Amino acid sequence: MGIEEQLGNNVLTTTLEKVVDWARKNSLWPATFGLACCAIEMIVTAANRWDIARFGMEAFRASPRQADLMIVAGTVTKKMVPAVVRIYEQMTEPKWVIAMGACASSGGIFRSYAVVQGIDLYLPVDVYVPGCPPRPEGLLYGILKLHEKILKDPFLTARYRDQIAPARRKHGHGH
Amino acid sequence: MKAYVKETLTGFYSLLAGLGVTIRYFVKPIVTVQYPREKLDMSPRYRGHTEFLIDPETGSHRCNACENCARTCPSGVITVTGVKVPGTKKKRAVTYSIDYSLCSLCGLCVEVCPTHALKFSNEYRLAGYSRQDMIIDIMARLKAQQRALGLPEEVPPAPEAEAAAPEAAASGEAES
């Protein structure tokens, strides 16, 4: 969680971790980027009708260094993957990924050599939001699911996911 | 000096104009939908995943497992299996599931269905933690709807010895 690195493994910080997770879930800052039509629904989610600011997410950060959450909104082409993976790697830990829409989840209708058949081949996706495109409510529901996940499944699991399930990232970074 | 005063006045005016917008929106009614606590009704044209239309005459679905939908689907989303109803020449669907993570909601399955058994649901809360969560069992959904409406649940016809087609058994594995 960060603080253990300073203190060593001598001090138990379980309760503190709960407080920190609570704070993290209430201030998830998404990275500003959209890839295709799902991005329009993501923009609408940030606008006043659905108002993503109610969840502490109003600040879509233009710099990945300041973002916690990557909403992969739209079709990821093979050509775009290096940029997406670089943005993800530039984001500071802890970080989460939402695959929004059919194309980001599985490639959708684009069964093609040019389109990534699911961004989960390259990034550890936490929440999948299906739909073509999903409603803003659908994205908000996915964000609420992510909040639940952050509370009950702290960041440590995501960091050691490679050791827990190495098959998930067997395709590696394909650039 | 003249330019300085002009700049000050212009700046002051633009401040008031900007605040005017803020104040106008402050007194207007709130448009935000407080989503988890209040939900909008989906419009009739909204396309969620497909689901079975409940036939008012029989209180059940009308699918005869012709697999036209599975064949016409551009993404190969649909898995449907059926068994032959004993005593007739008709088939009847027993399982129907879609992999919603691939579905582009084109609606070809709804259009092509010869018995008009499918319609779009208004379901939108479908996020999940894995791709397996997005495989939707439409037959189970129909049974839940029938329970909610108090309709009798349909007992699937027992497969006859020759009626259990080999492709039905093969595609039955794929949707588990």
Side-chain angles (χ1 to χ4, degrees):
Chain A
M1 195 187 81
I3 197 164
E4 282 92 347
E5 288 167 15
Q6 308 296 322
L7 298 173
N9 285 326
N10 303 317
V11 186
L12 286 174
T13 53
T14 52
T15 314
L16 179 63
E17 190 169 325
K18 273 182 193 157
V19 176
V20 171
D21 283 335
W22 173 80
R24 276 178 184 154
K25 107 172 162 65
N26 282 309
S27 67
L28 275 177
W29 285 1
T32 308
F33 81 103
L35 298 170
C37 25
C38 280
I40 304 297
E41 295 292 311
M42 185 176 75
I43 293 159
V44 169
T45 315
N48 50 6
R49 188 79 187 271
W50 284 277
D51 198 10
I52 210 169
R54 296 180 291 127
F55 304 99
M57 301 173 76
E58 67 272 32
F60 270 78
R61 301 317 291 196
S63 162
R65 310 267 182 217
Q66 299 165 350
D68 307 305
L69 171 65
M70 183 180 220
I71 302 176
V72 185
T75 318
V76 192
T77 52
K78 278 266 162 62
K79 204 166 185 178
M80 195 66 193
V81 154
V84 173
V85 171
R86 176 167 293 180
I87 291 172
Y88 177 76
E89 284 172 352
Q90 283 176 340
M91 281 160 60
T92 47
E93 308 263 8
K95 52 193 173 184
W96 294 273
V97 179
I98 290 180
M100 179 184 179
C103 298
S105 302
S106 67
I109 52 168
F110 301 108
R111 182 144 298 200
S112 151
Y113 61 87
V115 173
V116 174
Q117 301 297 306
I119 192 64
D120 54 355
L121 298 176
Y122 295 92
L123 303 178
V125 176
D126 292 290
V127 173
Y128 298 82
V129 183
C132 190
R135 291 268 310 177
E137 285 100 330
L139 179 60
L140 286 178
Y141 183 73
I143 288 165
L144 292 173
K145 292 275 265 194
L146 182 64
H147 286 177
E148 279 173 34
K149 183 170 184 172
I150 292 169
L151 282 185
K152 73 168 182 253
D153 183 20
F155 165 63
L156 287 174
T157 321
R159 182 183 291 174
Y160 297 116
R161 186 162 2 191
D162 284 358
Q163 294 158 29
I164 298 164
R168 279 185 66 98
R169 295 188 67 172
K170 65 182 176 215
H171 296 269
H173 296 173
H175 48 110
Chain B
M1 183 64 195
K2 200 175 168 187
Y4 177 75
V5 172
K6 196 182 170 194
E7 197 186 324
T8 311
L9 288 176
T10 320
F12 188 66
Y13 171 74
S14 69
L15 175 73
L16 284 183
L19 272 177
V21 173
T22 309
I23 289 164
R24 231 180 11 254
Y25 276 97
F26 185 70
V27 294
K28 274 186 181 172
I30 297 166
V31 294
T32 306
V33 181
Q34 303 287 329
Y35 163 64
R37 288 186 294 282
E38 68 176 301
K39 297 182 174 79
L40 288 179
D41 291 334
M42 291 295 120
S43 84
R45 296 292 296 272
Y46 173 66
R47 287 184 176 188
H49 63 78
T50 50
E51 66 178 1
F52 279 130
L53 194 73
I54 295 179
D55 190 351
E57 287 172 20
T58 60
S60 186
H61 66 86
R62 290 199 284 239
C63 180
N64 57 6
C66 66
E67 300 194 25
N68 271 351
C69 49
R71 249 176 279 128
T72 196
C73 179
S75 310
V77 162
I78 300 166
T79 311
V80 53
T81 63
V83 293
K84 213 171 166 187
V85 182
T88 63
K89 287 191 169 179
K90 286 178 179 169
K91 264 171 98 186
R92 187 114 178 104
V94 282
T95 68
Y96 194 111
S97 64
I98 57 169
D99 183 356
Y100 191 52
S101 69
L102 282 162
C103 178
S104 60
L105 299 167
C106 62
L108 286 176
C109 49
V110 176
E111 276 184 34
V112 82
C113 185
T115 56
H116 304 288
L118 292 169
K119 67 176 173 109
F120 288 110
S121 68
N122 56 6
E123 186 61 63
Y124 56 90
R125 297 186 301 150
L126 292 160
Y129 296 125
S130 74
R131 272 166 79 164
Q132 289 297 311
D133 292 348
M134 284 186 276
I135 295 173
I136 299 164
D137 188 350
I138 291 182
M139 197 59 84
R141 185 181 164 86
L142 174 80
K143 281 177 181 157
Q145 283 173 341
Q146 283 174 325
R147 271 197 297 277
L149 290 169
L151 292 167
E153 201 170 297
E154 184 182 334
V155 182
E160 292 176 46
E162 81 285 352
E167 77 269 11
S171 52
E173 289 167 13
E175 53 85 34
S176 62

